Amino acid sequence: MHKAVTSETSPKVNSISRRFSYTLISILTLLLIAFAAVAIVVDINRIENEMQKRLDNAIMFARNSLPTPLWNMNYLVVNDFVDALFLDESIVHVRISWKDQLITEKNRSGFIIKEDQPGAPQQSFKDADLIAKSSDIYFKDSVISKILIVMSRENVKKQVLIQIYSTIALLILIIAAIWLTSIFITRRYISSPLLKLQESASLIARGDLDTYVDKSSSDEIGALAQHLDVMRGSIKQLFAELQESKDKLEDYSRTLEHKVELRTRELAQSVEELKALGEVSQAVSSILDLETVLTSIVRHAVQLSKTDAGTIYEFDEAEGVFVPRINYGAQADLIEALRESRLRVGDRTVIGQAAVKRTPSQIPDLADVPDYPLAYVQQAGYRALLAIPLLREDRIIGGLVVRRKAAGEFPAPVLDLLQAFASQSVLAIHNARLFREIEEKGRELESANQHKSEFLANMSHELRTPLNAILGYTELILDNIYGAVPGKIQEVLERLEKNGRHLLNLINDVLDLSKIEAGRLTLSLNEYSMEEVVKTVSTSVEALVADKDLKLKVEFPNDLTIGKGDEQRIAQVVLNLVGNAIKFADEGEVKIEVNVANETFLVSVHDTGPGITEANQQKIFDEFQQADGSSTRKKGGTGLGLSISKKIIDMHGGRIWVESTLGKGSIFRFTLPIRVEKQRKQA
C-alpha cells in the first residue's frame, strides 16, 4: 500500500441524499402540521357546539318536565329531575327558583360556582371554564319558576387534549414512515453508491492506491467510478516508481532528525549547565557578598535539576549544627521551620546522612519513610529529597539540599551537576571566611599603620629638635661667633651644614607624611595671593637656576583673584614641583604658569628634562617612588615630595597630574578651588 506524503483528512462532504431527504421530510412535515392544526381547530369547534347543544337540550327538557311538579309543589319529583340532569358529567350546577325564593339547588362535588349577582345572566360567571344558561318555566302561559344550568368545559378540554395527542402521535408516525422511506430510497440508490465512491476516493487521496473501486452501477455514478479507477491506476504506477527512493529518503531523514534532536537537547542542556556554572564561578570570583553568591548557586541548582526548592546550609562547628543560610523556592512557613531546626551530622535527616557518609544522600519518596524527622517537609508537599555535603579537605563546612514535589530517584547527571554547584558553594563559603579574616587583619594593619604614623610623627619631631640645634651651632661657628675657624674645619663645617639641611628636609617630609597618615595634618585656611606665592617660590630658587644655567619664566594673568586656602602648604607644593623641574632639567628652561577658569586655579610647571614613561606617570605620586628608582639613579631624593604634594592638593579638593613624553620634558599641573571653605578628609 502506498502512503500519501501528507496525512490530512478529507474535507467534510454534505450528503446529497441527506439533503434531499431533509427537504422532502420538511415539506411533508409542514403540510401535515397544517392539516393537524386545522383538524384540531375543527374538532374543538365541533365539541364546543355539541356541548352547547346538550345544554340547550337540558333546558328544553326542564321546560317540558318541570311545570306540573312545580305547580303541584311536588319537590320530590323536582329533585329527582335535578339528579337526572347530573347524570351528564358536564353539568356542575343546577338551581330552580321563583323570584327570590330558592326551590332547589345542587352543585357537583369539587366545583364552586361564583357569580356577580344571583339570578344574573350566564355571562356573569367569573370562571371562563364554565358555560351557563337559564330559562323561565311556564305553566299555562304563566311563569312559575326559573331554572339555571351550568356546564363545565373540563371534559371538553380533556377530549381536546386527547384529540391533539392523537393527532400529534399520528403525525409523528406519518413523518417517521415518510422519513424511513425516503432514507431507504436515497441511501439505496444515491447515498450508498456515492459513499462507496467517496470512501474509495478518500483512501486514494490518503495514499491507499490498492483500494477497490465499485464500478457495478450503470448510471452516471458508475461512469464516475470507472474514471476514478483509471486515475487510481495511473497514480499507483507513478508511486511505484518513486516509492523506493522515497522510503530511503524518509528513513534517512527520520534517523537524521532524531540524532539532531537528541544532540540538540544534549547540547542545550550542556550549554545551560555550563552557562550557569560560568555565572556561578564568576560570582564566586568577583562578588564578595556571600548572600548574593549562594543565592545564585541555589537558584541555578534548583532550576537545572528541575526541582521545586533548595537550601544551602552552613555548618556551625562550635555548636555542631547545620544553619540554613539561603533558601530558594520554599514557602515562608517552611523556611521558618528550617531555621528553628537543629540538624546535626549523623541524624536521620538527608543532610545528616550525607554529612556522615561524605557522599550524596537522597530519599526518592518520603511516603516510604513515615518516621522522617522533619515531618513538615512532607506536609509542605515535597516527596523527594537530595543532599550534597559541602566538603573542604574532608571537613564538613555545609550542605546543599534540593526538594522536589514529584517522587522518584534523582539520576546520576543531576548528582554530578549538583556536586559541581556544591564545589562552588564550598569556594564561596571559604572565600567569605577568608574575606572576613582579611577584613580583621586589615583592621589590625590599619591600626598598626596608624600607630606607625603616630610614632614617625613623634620621632620626626624628636629628631628635628636636636638637628635644628646642631645646624644652629654650626652656623654660629661658621659666622666666627666663637672665634676664627681654620680653613680645614671651615670646609668640613660647610659640608656638615649642607648635609644637615638635607637631613632636615628629609625629616620634614617624613613628618608631613606621618601627620597626613595619622590624620593630624590640618589646613590653616586664610586668604592668600597666588601671585605672591609664585613670586616667593621663584625668588627662592633663583640661586639653583643660576647654578645650572637655566632660564626661569613666570606667567600669570593680570589682577589675579585672591584665593582662600593654606598658603604655606600651597607654596610647599609649588616649591616642590619647581625644585623637581630644576633638578631634572640640565639645560633649557623651567616655566611656572597660572590660569583661572571656573572658580579654579590651574598651576602648571614646565621643564625640559628627560621626560617620564607612561608606566611611571602614576607611580611617582606614591610614597617613596621616583621615575628612576634604580640604585644607580643620578638624581637624589626620597620620593616623598610628590606624594606629600598630592595629599595636600587632595585636602584642598583639587587634583594633580603629569603630562610627559620621553625626551621632550614634563608638565606637572594641579588645580585648586579658588576658595577652599572646608578641609577634605583623607582616606
Side-chain angles (χ1 to χ4, degrees):
M1 180 181 292
H2 300 275
K3 298 295 180 183
V5 176
T6 62
S7 60
E8 295 181 356
T9 58
S10 300
K12 185 177 180 180
V13 179
N14 293 322
S15 173
I16 297 175
S17 62
R18 188 181 297 113
R19 284 184 291 173
F20 173 76
S21 299
Y22 288 165
T23 303
L24 178 61
I25 293 171
S26 299
I27 294 173
L28 293 176
T29 300
L30 291 175
L31 292 175
L32 290 173
I33 290 174
F35 172 76
V38 171
I40 290 171
V41 171
V42 171
D43 286 342
I44 292 173
N45 291 331
R46 179 180 57 79
I47 294 172
E48 183 73 18
N49 292 332
E50 288 179 357
M51 184 177 179
Q52 188 68 42
K53 185 176 181 181
R54 284 158 54 193
L55 183 59
D56 293 339
N57 291 335
I59 292 294
M60 185 178 294
F61 182 55
R63 287 176 179 176
N64 295 328
S65 302
L66 290 178
T68 301
L70 287 172
W71 180 258
N72 295 326
M73 295 183 182
N74 189 355
Y75 296 138
L76 181 61
V77 175
V78 173
N79 290 332
D80 290 339
F81 177 80
V82 171
D83 291 337
L85 288 177
F86 269 81
L87 294 175
D88 187 345
E89 294 182 354
S90 298
I91 296 176
V92 297
H93 177 73
V94 175
R95 183 173 64 222
I96 301 173
S97 61
W98 169 242
K99 295 184 178 181
D100 294 334
Q101 181 180 2
L102 178 64
I103 297 174
T104 184
E105 182 180 23
K106 185 175 182 178
N107 289 326
R108 188 176 294 279
S109 177
F111 285 88
I112 299 175
I113 305 302
K114 296 180 182 179
E115 53 182 327
D116 295 335
Q117 295 179 356
Q122 65 266 27
Q123 289 83 1
S124 64
F125 283 92
K126 295 180 178 179
D127 197 339
D129 291 335
L130 301 177
I131 180 171
K133 189 172 184 179
S134 63
S135 177
D136 295 330
I137 298 176
Y138 294 85
F139 184 80
K140 295 181 179 181
D141 299 329
S142 297
V143 177
I144 62 173
S145 179
K146 186 175 184 179
I147 185 169
L148 173 65
I149 301 176
V150 180
M151 299 184 72
S152 174
R153 288 190 175 92
E154 184 175 353
N155 290 333
V156 175
K157 286 184 178 180
K158 291 181 180 178
Q159 294 177 11
V160 169
L161 289 175
I162 292 172
Q163 187 69 29
I164 291 174
Y165 292 153
S166 301
T167 304
I168 292 175
L170 179 61
L171 179 64
I172 291 174
L173 288 175
I174 294 173
I175 292 174
I178 295 173
W179 181 78
L180 290 174
T181 303
S182 64
I183 291 297
F184 174 76
I185 295 173
T186 56
R187 179 168 294 180
R188 180 180 180 89
Y189 297 104
I190 300 175
S191 178
S192 181
L194 285 178
L195 286 175
K196 290 181 180 179
L197 188 61
Q198 177 190 349
E199 183 179 358
S200 299
S202 298
L203 291 173
I204 293 172
R206 288 197 295 268
D208 187 2
L209 301 179
D210 293 326
T211 186
Y212 171 74
V213 180
D214 186 6
K215 305 181 291 295
S216 59
S217 178
S218 59
D219 53 11
E220 293 85 351
I221 297 177
L224 181 62
Q226 291 179 358
H227 290 299
L228 179 63
D229 190 57
V230 172
M231 182 185 68
R232 178 191 62 81
S234 301
I235 296 175
K236 181 178 179 180
Q237 183 179 0
L238 177 62
F239 267 84
E241 297 173 355
L242 298 176
Q243 188 63 39
E244 184 177 358
S245 58
K246 173 180 173 294
D247 290 341
K248 292 181 180 179
L249 182 60
E250 286 183 350
D251 182 64
Y252 177 76
S253 177
R254 284 193 299 269
T255 303
L256 182 61
E257 287 179 359
H258 177 71
K259 291 181 179 179
V260 170
E261 182 180 1
L262 182 62
R263 186 58 178 165
T264 300
R265 285 200 300 267
E266 293 176 352
L267 289 176
Q269 181 70 17
S270 299
V271 168
E272 188 176 359
E273 293 176 0
L274 290 174
K275 182 180 178 181
L277 288 173
E279 292 178 0
V280 170
S281 299
Q282 183 178 5
V284 169
S285 60
S286 61
I287 300 177
L288 297 178
D289 183 13
L290 182 60
E291 301 290 330
T292 302
V293 176
L294 294 182
T295 300
S296 176
I297 291 174
V298 71
R299 175 171 58 84
H300 284 99
V302 169
Q303 292 175 351
L304 293 179
S305 63
K306 294 180 174 57
T307 51
D308 300 296
T311 302
I312 290 183
Y313 292 86
E314 188 172 2
F315 186 65
D316 187 346
E317 294 183 348
E319 297 188 10
V321 296
F322 290 94
V323 180
R325 189 64 183 267
I326 298 296
N327 291 281
Y328 178 81
Q331 303 90 330
D333 53 349
L334 177 62
I335 294 175
E336 185 63 27
L338 291 174
R339 288 174 180 169
E340 295 177 357
S341 64
R342 298 180 65 82
L343 309 182
R344 299 181 180 275
V345 177
D347 62 17
R348 299 184 64 253
T349 61
V350 66
I351 190 173
Q353 292 299 307
V356 73
K357 296 176 183 178
R358 298 295 198 272
T359 58
S361 177
Q362 64 173 300
I363 298 178
D365 192 352
L366 281 173
D368 298 334
V369 189
D371 55 347
Y372 187 70
L374 307 180
Y376 51 82
V377 175
Q378 188 174 1
Q379 292 172 0
Y382 299 104
R383 296 285 300 277
L385 304 178
L386 173 62
I388 308 293
L390 305 184
L391 304 174
R392 182 169 180 81
E393 298 177 354
D394 203 36
R395 184 167 62 91
I396 291 290
I397 66 171
L400 170 62
V401 177
V402 293
R403 307 175 189 88
R404 190 176 60 202
K405 293 185 177 180
E409 187 173 354
F410 292 89
V414 172
L415 295 179
D416 297 337
L417 176 64
L418 293 184
Q419 283 184 321
F421 283 116
S423 301
Q424 297 297 328
S425 302
V426 170
L427 290 177
I429 295 175
H430 181 66
N431 290 345
R433 291 178 176 178
L434 289 179
F435 182 68
R436 287 197 294 267
E437 294 177 2
I438 291 172
E439 283 186 329
E440 293 175 359
K441 295 296 183 182
R443 286 192 291 269
E444 294 175 0
L445 290 174
E446 183 179 358
S447 176
N449 186 57
Q450 184 76 10
H451 292 310
K452 180 263 296 182
S453 299
E454 293 178 357
F455 171 75
L456 288 177
N458 293 331
M459 287 302 298
S460 298
H461 179 73
E462 295 298 328
L463 290 173
R464 188 170 58 173
T465 300
L467 184 58
N468 281 328
I470 293 173
L471 291 175
Y473 284 117
T474 302
E475 289 179 356
L476 292 175
I477 295 172
L478 288 173
D479 291 340
N480 297 319
I481 299 299
Y482 301 103
V485 179
K488 291 183 179 181
I489 297 177
Q490 180 86 16
E491 184 179 349
V492 172
L493 289 175
E494 289 177 354
R495 287 200 302 271
L496 176 63
E497 182 187 18
K498 181 178 180 181
N499 290 325
R501 296 288 178 190
H502 180 71
L503 180 59
L504 180 61
N505 290 333
L506 176 60
I507 292 173
N508 287 334
D509 288 344
V510 173
L511 179 61
D512 288 342
L513 181 63
S514 301
K515 285 182 178 180
I516 293 173
E517 291 182 348
R520 292 167 53 184
L521 180 66
T522 58
L523 300 179
S524 178
L525 301 179
N526 295 293
E527 292 189 349
Y528 69 95
S529 171
M530 181 62 78
E531 180 179 347
E532 292 299 327
V533 170
V534 173
K535 287 182 178 179
T536 301
V537 171
S538 61
T539 300
S540 63
V541 298
E542 285 180 352
L544 295 175
V545 172
D547 287 343
K548 299 193 70 173
D549 197 19
L550 298 173
K551 294 180 180 179
L552 178 63
K553 293 183 178 180
V554 178
E555 295 181 1
F556 46 79
N558 296 328
D559 300 328
L560 198 60
T561 184
I562 298 298
K564 182 178 180 181
D566 191 328
E567 182 177 2
Q568 180 180 354
R569 293 299 179 182
I570 295 172
Q572 179 181 350
V573 173
V574 177
L575 180 60
N576 186 285
L577 296 180
V578 174
N580 282 344
I582 295 172
K583 179 170 64 175
F584 286 98
D586 294 329
E587 59 182 11
E589 66 178 17
V590 174
K591 183 173 70 172
I592 307 172
E593 184 180 1
V594 180
N595 293 293
V596 178
N598 299 325
E599 299 298 324
T600 302
F601 287 126
L602 172 61
V603 181
S604 305
V605 178
H606 304 252
D607 67 56
T608 55
I612 305 171
T613 63
E614 186 175 352
N616 289 327
Q617 288 180 18
Q618 294 299 326
K619 184 176 68 173
I620 58 176
F621 291 101
D622 295 335
E623 300 167 5
F624 306 105
Q625 295 291 334
Q626 289 185 322
D628 182 8
S630 64
S631 59
T632 59
R633 66 179 185 270
K634 298 179 181 180
K635 309 296 182 182
T638 61
L640 292 176
L642 290 177
S643 175
I644 294 172
S645 298
K646 182 179 185 304
K647 287 179 169 57
I648 291 173
I649 296 299
D650 290 342
M651 292 173 68
H652 279 80
R655 186 171 72 92
I656 187 170
W657 70 97
V658 63
E659 300 170 3
S660 180
T661 303
L662 282 177
K664 296 184 179 180
S666 304
I667 305 174
F668 282 84
R669 304 182 190 273
F670 68 86
T671 60
L672 282 178
I674 293 177
R675 301 194 66 80
V676 180
E677 301 296 339
K678 186 177 179 181
Q679 173 180 328
R680 297 292 179 92
K681 185 178 179 180
Q682 291 298 300

